[in-house]
Amino acid sequence: MPIFEKHILKSLDRKIIALAVPMILSNITVPLLGLVDTAVIGHLPHAYYLGGSTVGAMIITFITWLCGFLRMSTTGLAAQALGRESHDEATIVLLRGLLVAGAIGLACILLQTPYFQLSLWLAGGSEQVQFYAKQYMDIRVWGLPAALANIVMLGWLLGQHQAKAVMWLLILINSINLSLDLLFVLAFGWQVQGVAAATLVAEYSGLIAGLSFILRRYYQRNIGLLANRALLSKVLNISQLGDYFKLNRDILIRTLCLEVCFVFMTFQGARLGDNIVAANAILMNFLLLISFGLDGIANAAEAMIGKAKGAGANHELSLILTRCTLWTIAFAVVYSLIFAVGGGWLISQITTIAEVSVEAEKYLGWIILLPVIGCWCYLYDGVYVGLTRADIMRNSMIIATFFVFFPLWLVFNEAFKQAALGFALNHALWLAFSGFMLARGATLGWHLYQRLLPQPITR
């Protein structure tokens, strides 16, 4: 390989790592916090505490994950604005995202009663699980405006290639959450309500810190931009809003399909018993730990590919993709090895309830397998976010959800029932989910290499 090519690859790898490592460190704090929440509640004397907080968290998180389009669209648009070196365009992207986030958060507060009633009815579970889930949600719902605004700010900072700022903001939020978790639950004895209250305070702390950072760092010399009527009028421009909502519509559909699968896993686990739903809560936190880590490379791809598209540098796209692919494979293998060697120990550290620990270890093999078969969908999602081609992400997710996940579950769930293998019904859930992840990567990869890369990508 010529020396200049090696220099280009090394420079590109440094850029990827400079974006990915802060994102990996910050992303991992989210599932780590979930593991701490699970561990704190898991050491209470009954499984229904953990089951209730898990169901309640899933119902609230369903909204924030469903609104993941705010983060993805903001990242892609902000990165392209950076490539075009348009400060005004980047400001419009931020303000429009915050406006939409605030409106959605307030709507959720107003509609909380019917949403909670429907969600708990769908969730099922024991009376105790339902009771503690409701306790959790009654507190967490008030943090949604802040949580959604934080999603927008984090996406915007990533799109502006400020991964370190994202890292420190998430570390701050999760450190506050962790400290208050221990204080409220272990010291004050607030149980499930303590976990919810800790998250509520952390979300508003993050909102204040994030806005303060952006105003100080980016607008200390141009604070007048926020009072510029011409600029603010562009935020509400009907034509631009139409394009914005079209992009977000496709990401929303994509995210809704993903959320349907996650919620189905939680709700179906609840119907299999308190110990199963508690065990699945531990494993899903492991999965989140894996996904947020792999998303670090995907986040780097989003920012770099978005900037390249904004600058019209099409020649860089294939090279960025190749290097990000190699890093993704490396991280996936490391994750599989970690859980193969230490998965049982991790479970024992999270819960002291023997029945829950035994159940979780039964399904640990799926967690060992998932990084390798699922890493592709994370990477390719990042590519399409950077290109703001949400329509392809939408189509892939629809196929994986309705033509892979649910058919696999129906077939194997019924087969295990007919064979009187009731103990394997949870395996049917994890098998279906693994097929779902594999299908996402396969469909996105097919389109990327067969349809997208052979064609010139326009700005």
Side-chain angles (χ1 to χ4, degrees):
M1 181 183 295
I3 294 176
F4 75 91
E5 289 188 12
K6 289 183 178 180
H7 176 72
I8 291 174
L9 293 179
K10 287 182 179 179
S11 176
L12 189 58
D13 283 339
R14 283 196 294 269
K15 290 179 182 179
I16 293 172
I17 294 302
L19 287 168
V21 170
M23 291 307 302
I24 290 171
L25 294 175
S26 56
N27 286 342
I28 287 176
T29 63
V30 178
L32 282 177
L33 178 64
L35 288 172
V36 172
D37 283 349
T38 303
V40 170
I41 297 297
H43 283 78
L44 294 177
H46 302 289
Y48 54 70
Y49 289 117
L50 182 54
S53 65
T54 299
V55 171
M58 178 59 73
I59 291 171
I60 292 295
T61 304
F62 179 81
I63 297 173
T64 57
W65 282 357
L66 193 61
C67 292
F69 64 84
L70 293 170
R71 205 281 300 165
M72 293 182 184
S73 64
T74 300
T75 297
L77 294 171
Q80 291 179 23
L82 179 65
R84 287 188 280 269
E85 299 182 353
S86 174
H87 187 72
D88 284 4
E89 183 182 344
T91 303
I92 291 170
V93 170
L94 174 63
L95 294 179
R96 186 178 289 141
L98 290 175
L99 179 66
V100 173
I104 294 174
L106 290 175
C108 290
I109 291 174
L110 293 174
L111 298 173
Q112 62 179 285
T113 299
Y115 174 66
F116 289 169
Q117 290 175 345
L118 176 61
S119 299
L120 290 173
W121 177 75
L122 291 172
S126 66
E127 182 180 347
Q128 292 92 338
V129 166
Q130 293 244 331
F131 174 79
Y132 286 107
K134 181 65 165 53
Q135 271 196 350
Y136 182 94
M137 294 185 297
D138 284 342
I139 295 172
R140 276 291 309 278
V141 69
W142 294 96
L144 284 175
L148 298 181
N150 289 338
I151 289 173
V152 171
M153 289 190 295
L154 294 172
W156 187 82
L157 288 168
L158 176 60
Q160 293 289 294
H161 286 213
Q162 295 295 318
K164 287 185 179 179
V166 175
M167 177 184 71
W168 288 116
L169 188 57
L170 277 174
I171 288 175
L172 173 67
I173 293 172
N174 291 316
S175 296
I176 293 172
N177 201 340
L178 170 60
S179 301
L180 294 180
D181 257 354
L182 300 175
L183 177 66
F184 292 165
V185 178
L186 300 183
F188 293 174
W190 291 357
Q191 298 177 337
V192 172
Q193 289 176 313
V195 173
T199 304
L200 177 70
V201 175
E203 285 167 342
Y204 278 100
S205 299
L207 175 62
I208 294 170
L211 289 175
S212 299
F213 174 82
I214 290 173
L215 288 172
R216 184 178 67 255
R217 179 74 179 270
Y218 292 94
Y219 300 111
Q220 55 187 352
R221 297 180 181 176
N222 297 296
I223 194 71
L225 282 173
L226 297 179
N228 187 321
R229 291 186 178 181
L231 189 67
L232 293 177
S233 67
K234 292 180 181 179
V235 175
L236 300 175
N237 180 277
I238 299 300
S239 175
Q240 292 182 14
L241 276 174
D243 292 339
Y244 179 77
F245 284 117
K246 181 180 178 181
L247 172 63
N248 282 324
R249 177 202 65 195
D250 291 336
I251 300 177
L252 174 63
I253 294 171
R254 171 258 181 205
T255 308
L256 180 60
C257 291
L258 179 63
E259 284 305 291
V260 165
C261 295
F262 273 105
V263 170
F264 185 83
M265 290 278 291
T266 299
F267 288 0
Q268 192 63 30
R271 295 179 185 278
L272 294 176
D274 288 356
N275 290 330
I276 291 291
V277 71
N280 280 355
I282 295 172
L283 298 177
M284 292 301 282
N285 274 297
F286 287 168
L287 178 62
L288 287 176
L289 186 67
I290 293 166
S291 66
F292 281 118
L294 292 174
D295 265 340
I297 303 298
N299 293 150
E302 292 173 22
M304 295 178 68
I305 286 177
K307 183 180 178 182
K309 180 183 179 182
N314 291 343
H315 61 282
E316 295 183 10
L317 296 177
S318 294
L319 192 55
I320 292 171
L321 176 60
T322 299
R323 305 310 293 181
C324 286
T325 299
L326 293 175
W327 283 106
T328 296
I329 294 172
F331 275 98
V333 170
V334 169
Y335 269 119
S336 290
L337 291 175
I338 288 173
F339 284 100
V341 174
W345 178 82
L346 287 172
I347 291 171
S348 69
Q349 300 305 301
I350 292 172
T351 181
T352 55
I353 302 174
E355 294 85 355
V356 174
S357 182
V358 169
E359 288 295 334
E361 290 194 32
K362 289 180 183 178
Y363 311 105
L364 183 60
W366 296 108
I367 300 300
I368 297 171
L369 180 65
L370 275 167
V372 177
I373 67 174
C375 64
W376 310 102
C377 63
Y378 296 111
L379 174 63
Y380 296 147
D381 269 355
V383 172
Y384 283 102
V385 167
L387 295 173
T388 55
R389 287 298 306 274
D391 55 326
I392 307 304
M393 299 166 64
R394 174 201 64 200
N395 295 342
S396 169
M397 193 68 79
I398 289 173
I399 292 170
T401 300
F402 298 105
F403 295 93
V404 178
F405 177 80
F406 283 109
L408 279 177
W409 177 77
L410 287 169
V411 168
F412 282 93
N413 191 66
E414 187 61 29
F416 291 155
K417 284 183 178 179
Q418 293 295 328
L421 299 175
F423 63 88
L425 295 181
N426 201 42
H427 278 297
L429 274 176
W430 284 101
L431 186 151
F433 187 80
S434 298
F436 162 78
M437 297 290 280
L438 184 61
R440 287 174 58 198
T443 50
L444 287 173
W446 175 84
H447 183 272
L448 181 64
Y449 288 101
Q450 296 298 319
R451 295 294 183 88
L452 187 62
L453 288 182
Q455 303 296 323
I457 299 172
T458 58
R459 293 175 64 174

